[in-house]
Amino acid sequence: MTDAPALSRRHVRHELVQRHLTVASVRSVTPRIVRVTLTGELDGFAADGPTDHLKVFFPDPRTGRIATPGFHAGGLGLSAPGAVISRDYTPADHRPGELDLDLVVHGDGGPASAWASRAAVGDPLIVAGPKTSKLVPDGLTSLVLVVDETAFPTAARWLRLTPPDVPVTLLLDAPEEAARYFDGLPGSRRATIRAGVDLEAALRALPIDPGTFVFLAGEATTLVPLRRYLRRELGLGPEQVVASGYWKRGVAGLDHHAPVDPDDPD
Ligand SMILES: Cc1cc2nc3c(=O)[nH]c(=O)nc-3n(C[C@H](O)[C@H](O)[C@H](O)COP(=O)(O)OP(=O)(O)OC[C@H]3O[C@@H](n4cnc5c(N)ncnc54)[C@H](O)[C@@H]3O)c2cc1C
C-alpha cells in the first residue's frame, strides 16, 4: 500500500527564448475569439503540456514599439523605449514555422484585446515561453474541464494531448454558439460538451474518481465556489484539481500566480 497520489504530472523545462514574430493571418473563430497566426523566429519552439502558456509582448500604442524586460540579446534593460505591455496567452496550436494564438476580444479596455481587434497581416509581436510544460497526468482515467473562452485554447490542448480512451467532460462558461470552437478539433469527438449551464450544478452532477483530473480556468472569482466544492467538500488535493484565474473582473494584467481563493491558497 502506498500513499502516493494516483495522479502525477511530469515537468519538462524549456530554455526561455524571446521570439520576434509577425502576423501572417487573422481570422475570427467565434464571435469573440480572433485567431492570429504568427511566423518568424520559431526554431526550437516546443509546447508539450496542456496548460503551457506564453508571455506575449504588445506594442506600446503611443510609440508602436514593443518593449521587453531584461532578456533581449543586447543585455539587461528595456529593449525599446516605452512601457512593457505583456499578457499571458496559450499557444493554441503550432506547426513548423507557425504559431496560433486565439485571443478573446473584450473591447478596448485592455491593450491585448485592443491589439487583437485591430490585428493585421504584418503586425509585429514578441513572445517568450513556455518556460515549463506540465504534462497530462500519468494515471488519468477521466478529465473534467471547466473553462471560459480565454481558456478554450487550453481546453483544445487538453483534448489533443490526452489519450483517446480517456473520457472528457467540458463545461463551458460561454453561450452555446461559442461551443463551435471545438467542432472538428483533434480529440473532441470523445468529449461531452455543455455550454450555457449552471456550472456548479453541472460540476456537482459529475462522478469524480481517484483518477479524475479537474482543470478550471477563466474569470477568477467565478472559479472560487467551484474550487471550494472540489477542494473543501470533496477533499480533493492539488494533484487532482487545478484552478487557474486567467483574468479577474476589474483587474488589469492579473498575476495568475495569485491564489484564486485568497482564503484557501494552495
Ligand atoms: C495562463 C494563461 C493563459 C491565457 N491564455 C489566454 C488565451 O489563450 N486567450 C485569451 O483570450 N486569453 C488568455 N488568457 C487571459 C488573458 O491573459 C487576460 O484576459 C488578459 O487580462 C487580457 O489582457 P487585456 O490587455 O485584454 O486586458 P487587461 O488590461 O488585463 O484588463 C483590462 C480590463 O479588461 C478585463 N478583462 C480582461 N480579460 C477579459 C475578458 N476575457 N473578458 C472580459 N473582460 C476582461 C479586466 O478585468 C480589466 O477590467 C490567459 C491567461 C493566463 C493566466
Side-chain angles (χ1 to χ4, degrees):
M1 200 55 194
T2 167
D3 289 337
L7 297 173
S8 62
R9 291 177 78 183
R10 282 173 290 138
H11 294 194
V12 178
R13 307 279 288 173
H14 305 287
E15 187 190 351
L16 190 58
V17 178
Q18 181 181 314
R19 301 173 187 279
H20 291 248
L21 304 177
T22 305
V23 174
S25 69
V26 182
R27 74 181 176 93
S28 109
V29 192
T30 72
R32 269 168 44 98
I33 298 180
V34 167
R35 174 161 303 154
V36 171
T37 298
L38 299 158
T39 55
E41 299 173 355
L42 285 166
D43 284 358
F45 181 84
D48 311 312
T51 51
D52 286 8
H53 51 277
L54 310 168
K55 220 19 127 193
V56 179
F57 296 90
F58 295 91
D60 181 336
R62 287 168 305 148
T63 63
R65 300 183 68 176
I66 305 176
T68 58
F71 64 139
H72 63 288
L76 294 175
L78 292 176
S79 59
V84 175
I85 302 172
S86 70
R87 297 289 184 267
D88 293 307
Y89 281 86
T90 303
D93 201 0
H94 67 98
R95 301 161 294 282
E98 287 189 329
L99 170 67
D100 293 337
L101 301 182
D102 288 352
L103 302 97
V104 171
V105 173
H106 58 88
D108 279 352
S113 172
W115 180 89
S117 68
R118 295 171 184 79
V121 172
D123 286 352
L125 213 55
I126 297 177
V127 308
K131 264 194 301 199
T132 306
S133 294
K134 294 183 188 171
L135 306 187
V136 170
D138 294 324
L140 186 68
T141 57
S142 65
L143 177 64
V144 176
L145 306 169
V146 185
V147 291
D148 76 5
E149 283 168 295
T150 61
F152 279 15
T154 316
R157 296 184 60 82
W158 277 107
L159 289 169
R160 196 182 316 128
L161 295 169
T162 299
D165 57 334
V166 173
V168 181
T169 304
L170 197 44
L171 303 180
L172 306 183
D173 185 9
E176 276 182 39
E177 62 267 23
R180 74 164 191 245
Y181 177 92
F182 296 95
D183 289 352
L185 285 187
S188 62
R189 284 182 55 192
R190 50 58 195 276
T192 303
I193 302 181
R194 301 189 61 201
V197 294
D198 177 330
L199 292 178
E200 188 173 341
L203 183 61
R204 283 176 178 274
L206 294 176
I208 309 278
D209 302 315
T212 305
F213 186 84
V214 187
F215 176 76
L216 315 165
E219 201 281 321
T221 52
T222 306
L223 303 182
V224 172
L226 309 179
R227 183 182 178 280
R228 283 188 185 163
Y229 161 65
L230 295 162
R231 293 295 302 274
R232 291 190 188 175
E233 271 187 64
L234 297 187
L236 305 179
E239 72 288 348
Q240 223 180 329
V241 178
V242 167
S244 190
Y246 272 20
W247 63 284
K248 189 170 185 173
R249 204 157 279 116
V251 176
L254 175 72
D255 175 6
H256 73 281
H257 298 105
V260 162
D261 186 353
D263 293 341
D264 181 21
D266 266 325

